[in-house]
Amino acid sequence: MSFNEKYNKIRQIVQNELNIIEEKMVSTIQVREPLNSHLVSFLTYPSKRIRPLLALLYLKANNEQISDKQLEVLTVVELVHNASLIHDDIIDESDLRRGHKTLSSEFDNKLAVISGDYILARAMDKLTQIGSFEIIEQFSKTIRQMCLGEINQNFDRYKIGTIENYIEKTKNKTGYLFETALVTPFMTDVDGDYELEEIKNLGLNIGIAFQIRDDLLNILKEDVSKPVNSDITEGIYNAPVIYSGSVEESLSGIEKTKDLLNNYIKNAENIVKKLPDNEYKIAIEEFLELLSNV
């Protein structure tokens, strides 16, 4: 089976909850047409919903009953993620997202920026209704770090940095939102006592691994989101380039990058091993195995 086929099999385990999250996402959108229809379509385009999926699996693996408040928190995660995609498309001057015209190409950059900001504002509305200062603080830190990741990446374009700087950028741009997705549901109504730092570490390790895999795919083969070597063309020098020390010889850094990927997957696996044995634990393990297949 392909990655998507295996992933969709995992996804079916929590599909009902993911459907509820998607309904909650689009119910927040209330702007003038034709923008309203475009935003609703954008939020409901076929998407993997990886962050809420992992959070739901981890909750269920811990024998937690999913509450409406937890679904609200995961809706905020997806709204923040999708707002960042709108802004990314503007920065990258992208015409397509998930096979459809981006908001910036359908309208213009000004309206796209405002649309991304609007979705973020709706996410903040939901956070205030949840009413947890701890959760608000976690999201505030995450959004701040996401912005810093983009700012630093822009200043570092066409520079071959260090692997430490690459990991820091990866944490900011991707890792912290995975961390937030996994830990914030455990800041709501849960039955057991949990070590939140361990849950944060799980999310952070999975998020870093996810981004490293994406960077590898950008060099090794074309995917639906962007062409081969588009990062290099845009002056974004990721792990393969850093390990090779050369833009022209980036393929020579592939094996070391795979070792780096597997290191973060192993870290995540060590945390997942502590879960009770059930179908949800198995699903998380299968997902981590998928990440390692590049």
Side-chain angles (χ1 to χ4, degrees):
M1 286 192 290
S2 67
F3 177 95
N4 285 337
E5 288 172 333
K6 291 177 181 177
Y7 181 81
N8 287 334
K9 185 178 178 182
I10 295 170
R11 178 181 169 132
Q12 287 305 311
I13 301 174
V14 291
Q15 187 61 55
N16 289 338
E17 289 87 352
L18 291 175
N19 289 342
I20 294 171
I21 289 170
E22 190 166 288
E23 290 169 6
K24 286 177 176 291
M25 289 170 62
V26 299
S27 70
T28 64
I29 306 304
Q30 298 171 2
V31 297
R32 289 178 59 175
E33 293 292 359
L35 182 59
N36 199 90
S37 296
H38 280 273
L39 285 176
V40 169
S41 296
F42 171 76
L43 292 173
T44 54
Y45 289 154
S47 171
K48 289 185 174 65
R49 308 282 184 222
I50 287 177
R51 294 156 189 83
L53 175 137
L54 288 169
L56 291 166
L57 289 175
Y58 195 72
L59 282 162
K60 287 175 174 277
N62 280 287
N63 298 313
E64 289 288 341
Q65 296 295 315
I66 308 298
S67 70
D68 186 66
K69 188 176 286 187
Q70 289 166 337
L71 294 174
E72 284 286 302
V73 168
L74 293 176
T75 300
V76 175
V77 169
E78 279 298 279
L79 289 173
V80 169
H81 172 58
N82 279 273
S84 75
L85 294 182
I86 293 174
H87 290 153
D88 282 349
D89 289 337
I90 299 165
I91 294 167
D92 298 338
E93 299 180 349
S94 301
D95 293 327
L96 294 176
R97 166 71 65 179
R98 299 166 182 162
H100 299 268
K101 290 183 72 174
T102 60
L103 282 162
S104 50
S105 63
E106 181 67 29
F107 297 99
D108 55 39
N109 284 348
K110 182 177 180 179
L111 196 56
V113 168
I114 295 168
S115 297
D117 292 347
Y118 173 76
I119 292 176
L120 270 179
R122 297 302 290 169
M124 294 306 103
D125 287 341
K126 283 187 172 291
L127 278 182
T128 56
Q129 290 165 12
I130 291 167
S132 166
F133 178 79
E134 190 178 20
I135 291 175
I136 292 173
E137 188 175 42
Q138 178 69 27
F139 271 99
S140 176
K141 183 202 83 170
T142 295
I143 295 170
R144 179 178 70 245
Q145 295 305 125
M146 290 170 70
C147 293
L148 286 174
E150 283 292 343
I151 290 168
N152 292 337
Q153 178 173 278
N154 185 72
F155 280 115
D156 291 337
R157 289 178 68 201
Y158 301 104
K159 300 175 185 175
I160 299 178
T162 66
I163 204 66
E164 291 78 16
N165 288 340
Y166 168 76
I167 293 300
E168 188 62 29
K169 179 193 76 170
T170 302
K171 286 180 182 178
N172 288 338
K173 289 192 63 183
T174 307
Y176 287 124
L177 191 57
F178 273 83
E179 173 191 286
T180 296
L182 264 75
V183 77
T184 49
F186 287 89
M187 296 175 179
T188 63
D189 310 317
V190 289
D191 294 327
D193 293 325
Y194 296 97
E195 178 52 58
L196 295 185
E197 286 304 315
E198 183 168 76
I199 299 173
K200 287 182 179 181
N201 285 335
L202 176 61
L204 196 58
N205 277 283
I206 294 177
I208 294 170
F210 180 80
Q211 185 61 57
I212 294 172
R213 182 181 187 274
D214 190 64
D215 294 341
L216 276 167
L217 290 178
N218 187 241
I219 286 181
L220 291 174
K221 59 184 178 182
E222 187 170 354
D223 60 32
V224 296
S225 61
K226 52 188 176 181
V228 171
N229 285 336
S230 62
D231 287 343
I232 291 177
T233 302
E234 293 166 8
I236 300 170
Y237 299 156
N238 292 324
V241 173
I242 294 169
Y243 277 128
S244 68
S246 166
V247 173
E248 293 77 15
E249 301 294 329
S250 60
L251 287 175
S252 68
I254 293 297
E255 290 308 313
K256 284 188 176 180
T257 304
K258 287 182 178 180
D259 290 340
L260 184 70
L261 167 65
N262 289 327
N263 177 61
Y264 284 98
I265 292 174
K266 188 66 177 177
N267 290 342
E269 287 174 341
N270 288 336
I271 298 172
V272 173
K273 282 178 183 177
K274 301 176 184 179
L275 290 169
D277 291 330
N278 52 47
E279 64 174 317
Y280 307 108
K281 175 184 178 180
I282 292 171
I284 298 172
E285 290 173 336
E286 289 175 346
F287 174 80
L288 292 175
E289 185 178 345
L290 275 181
L291 283 188
S292 67
N293 294 330
V294 182

